[in-house]
Amino acid sequence: QDIIHKARFGDVTEDRCEHRFITKDGRIRWFQTGFHVHQPFHPGAKLYGISVEVTALKETQKQLAQGEAEFKAIFDSAAT
């Protein structure tokens, strides 16, 4: 609600964030949400937004980071 208040009064006119949901069966689902405020400072200001599921992207990023860490550990141990 705080972001909606800021958007209505022009403190924020657009933003993007990532957030996660935990499903009833315990799985984690990641979403990226963005919004844009049409006519800030106006009593009839409208907030337009979209959310996209990015769970597969987050999992791929995690695997890539793990692979990079493993490669760095191997490279560092070979250099000594």
Side-chain angles (χ1 to χ4, degrees):
Q1 286 183 338
D2 184 50
I3 196 73
I4 294 171
H5 178 78
K6 288 179 179 179
R8 182 171 180 212
F9 293 101
D11 295 333
V12 175
T13 56
E14 61 184 40
D15 200 0
R16 183 180 303 171
C17 65
E18 286 185 352
H19 45 183
R20 68 181 187 164
F21 292 96
I22 300 174
T23 63
K24 287 182 181 182
D25 61 3
R27 292 179 295 141
I28 295 175
R29 294 286 176 231
W30 284 93
F31 288 83
Q32 186 177 77
T33 299
F35 74 87
H36 173 77
V37 181
H38 180 68
Q39 295 181 326
F41 303 108
H42 187 273
K46 294 180 180 162
L47 186 70
Y48 295 97
I50 186 168
S51 288
V52 178
E53 184 180 2
V54 293
T55 304
L57 175 63
K58 296 294 275 184
E59 290 171 355
T60 300
Q61 289 173 335
K62 182 178 178 181
Q63 291 172 355
L64 179 60
Q66 288 172 341
E68 288 174 343
E70 291 171 10
F71 177 78
K72 183 178 181 329
I74 292 168
F75 183 79
D76 289 347
S77 67
T80 56

